[in-house]
């Protein structure tokens, strides 16, 4: 079965390509490499022992998307392609609305035109905004988004619900995941930010490797155990396998459906806990300072993941130490 993976050269996308291939699917990437590198393809080919099919194209090109879906006999799509830097989204909102929502609309139209009905949407725990209670469940009310990026995920989910309600053939699952970290155990693919990282772990590994002078912890006066933000950090390969489980579920379903699942470990760790664990795992002391809060950050969010475990049989297999070990191994191989 040919599965189109938009943004498949990115961090989560590339690891999902591996999980798809190992599950017997044929992943086909479409990525314009605006936020990824072609070297990812070499890493994928080393891991899989075969060439990876890909299109160097932008997902906002309607004609291209129609052609790929039709000519490659695509049976399902996993849609990752989106901008995702919270802070950038607050200063350039139009860029995020045009790309994140525009590419989704183009994809849905192309899927309907081509008769492709199975879609896994890359959503985010940011849809919960600043939740009143933790852990969040799929029934937790969606709060006003704390960032433009988060709002694009909220609106994306609303679009998908409406499309499924109107189209009796469409089958869609939105995966609301938390904070993916780590890398493939081979150290051939991992998180590869262009320029200054937006995520915590690559900033940690680059600081430990001497590429950056110091790490800034954004705020230590939140209402958490140690004053720093709390997040659910999930190994990227666990997250990749959740996409495969969700895809199998809708392919095997005979009726149209829209559903959402939290994907995480079900546990929260603070930024300082993450730093201390990295130092313990690697034996490397980190140079860090406490800075001001960052716009768009919520104090704490982690989820109840019992729904996806019960419905799809998926559960996270890796712990925080393993994820940080893999991230550090990847950093040393870059």
């Amino acid at each position: 079965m040919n599965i189109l993976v938009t943004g498949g050269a990115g961090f989560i996308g590339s690891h999902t390509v591996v999980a798809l291939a190992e599950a017997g699917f044929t992943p086909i990437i479409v990525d314009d490499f605006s936020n990824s590198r072609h070297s990812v393809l070499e890493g994928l080919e080393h891991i899989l022992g075969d060439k990876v099919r890909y299109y160097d194209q932008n997902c906002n090109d309607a004609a291209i998307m129609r052609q790929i879906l039709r000519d490659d006999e695509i049976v399902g799509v996993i849609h990752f392609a989106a901008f995702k830097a919270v802070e950038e989204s607050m200063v350039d909102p139009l860029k995020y609305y045009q790309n994140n929502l525009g590419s989704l609309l183009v994809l849905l139209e192309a899927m309907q035109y081509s008769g492709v009905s199975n879609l896994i949407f890359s959503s985010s725990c940011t849809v919960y905004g600043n939740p009143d209670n933790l852990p969040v469940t799929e029934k937790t009310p969606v709060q006003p988004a704390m960032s433009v990026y988060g709002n694009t995920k909220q609106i994306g989910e609303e679009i998908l619900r409406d499309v499924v309600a109107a189209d009796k053939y469409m089958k869609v699952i939105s995966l609301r995941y938390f904070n993916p970290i780590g890398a493939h155990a081979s150290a051939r693919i991992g998180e590869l930010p262009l320029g200054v990282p937006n995520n915590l772990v690559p900033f940690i590994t680059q600081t430990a490797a001497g590429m950056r002078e110091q790490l800034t912890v954004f705020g230590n006066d939140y209402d958490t155990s140690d004053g720093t933000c709390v997040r659910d950090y999930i190994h990227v390969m666990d997250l990749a396998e959740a996409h495969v489980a969700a895809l199998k579920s809708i392919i095997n379903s005979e009726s149209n459906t829209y559903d959402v699942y939290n994907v995480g470990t079900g546990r929260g760790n603070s930024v300082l806990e993450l730093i201390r664990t990295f130092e313990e795992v690697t034996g490397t002391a980190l140079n860090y300072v406490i800075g001001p809060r960052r716009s768009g950050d919520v104090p704490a969010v982690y989820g109840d993941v019992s729904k996806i475990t019960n419905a799809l049989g998926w559960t996270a297999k890796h712990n925080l130490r393993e994820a940080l070990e893999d991230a550090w191994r990847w950093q040393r191989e870059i």
Side-chain angles (χ1 to χ4, degrees):
M1 294 185 186
N2 293 342
I3 306 299
L4 187 65
V5 186
T6 71
F11 177 40
I12 306 171
S14 60
H15 290 78
T16 301
V17 165
V18 172
L20 284 167
E22 291 177 344
F25 294 101
T26 300
I28 300 173
I29 294 171
V30 57
D31 199 309
D32 66 358
F33 296 90
S34 60
N35 197 32
S36 56
R37 297 175 182 168
H38 285 83
S39 60
V40 172
L41 301 173
E42 299 173 10
L44 288 171
E45 289 168 3
H46 177 89
I47 294 169
L48 300 176
D50 199 359
K51 291 286 185 181
V52 176
R53 296 171 62 184
Y54 75 96
Y55 291 90
D56 189 341
Q57 298 288 348
N58 190 301
C59 294
N60 285 286
D61 190 320
I64 289 293
M65 296 303 291
R66 284 187 177 192
Q67 180 181 346
I68 294 172
L69 288 166
R70 181 183 64 247
D71 293 354
D72 286 285
E73 298 180 342
I74 300 297
V75 299
V77 180
I78 303 181
H79 184 49
F80 292 109
F83 297 139
K84 62 182 183 63
V86 168
E87 198 165 18
E88 182 189 46
S89 77
M90 304 298 286
V91 297
D92 197 354
L94 285 180
K95 174 181 178 180
Y96 276 68
Y97 287 122
Q98 287 172 344
N99 185 65
N100 293 12
L101 298 180
S103 65
L104 177 60
L105 294 172
V106 166
L107 174 63
L108 288 168
E109 188 277 335
M111 289 178 66
Q112 290 185 327
Y113 177 84
S114 307
V116 180
S117 59
N118 301 305
L119 174 64
I120 307 300
F121 177 62
S122 170
S123 191
S124 168
C125 65
T126 57
V127 301
Y128 296 116
N130 189 7
D132 295 326
N133 298 292
L134 294 172
V136 294
T137 74
E138 290 82 356
K139 294 182 179 180
T140 296
V142 171
Q143 304 273 24
M146 297 292 288
S147 69
V148 173
Y149 163 72
N151 202 33
T152 66
K153 293 302 182 182
Q154 288 186 358
I155 297 170
E157 287 195 9
E158 292 171 359
I159 291 169
L160 291 169
R161 278 194 295 269
D162 290 343
V163 169
V164 170
D167 185 336
K168 64 180 181 181
Y169 299 106
M170 284 295 293
K171 296 177 288 181
V172 180
I173 287 178
S174 291
L175 295 182
R176 296 172 174 172
Y177 36 84
F178 291 77
N179 291 61
I181 62 173
H184 191 267
S186 68
R188 292 286 181 160
I189 57 172
E191 191 164 7
L192 193 61
L194 302 183
V196 179
N198 292 299
N199 295 335
L200 176 59
V201 170
F203 219 117
I204 286 176
T205 59
Q206 289 185 10
T207 303
M211 297 171 59
R212 303 197 176 276
E213 181 179 351
Q214 66 183 15
L215 168 73
T216 299
V217 176
F218 296 108
N220 67 343
D221 58 349
Y222 288 101
D223 185 18
T224 61
S225 60
D226 59 22
T228 62
C229 290
V230 171
R231 298 290 184 268
D232 183 340
Y233 297 97
I234 177 174
H235 196 294
V236 66
M237 283 309 302
D238 284 332
L239 180 54
E241 290 173 4
H243 287 81
V244 175
L247 181 67
K248 288 180 178 179
S249 169
I250 57 172
I251 286 176
N252 292 329
S253 174
E254 296 183 355
S255 59
N256 82 319
T257 183
Y258 177 76
D259 213 340
V260 298
Y261 294 98
N262 288 337
V263 187
T265 67
R267 297 179 296 277
N269 294 100
S270 74
V271 172
L272 289 181
E273 286 175 333
L274 189 74
I275 289 173
R276 286 194 292 269
T277 302
F278 179 85
E279 291 177 329
E280 292 172 4
V281 165
T282 64
T284 303
L286 283 170
N287 178 27
Y288 68 90
V289 295
I290 304 298
R293 293 185 180 192
R294 184 173 58 177
S295 176
D297 281 341
V298 300
V301 62
Y302 57 94
D304 181 327
V305 294
S306 57
K307 180 180 177 182
I308 191 171
T309 299
N310 294 333
L312 305 184
W314 175 92
T315 187
K317 301 173 184 175
H318 301 86
N319 60 34
L320 182 63
R321 295 180 68 90
E322 291 170 329
L324 292 173
E325 286 172 353
D326 287 341
W328 182 230
R329 187 183 306 111
W330 159 247
Q331 179 66 62
R332 288 177 293 170
E333 289 294 325
I334 298 176

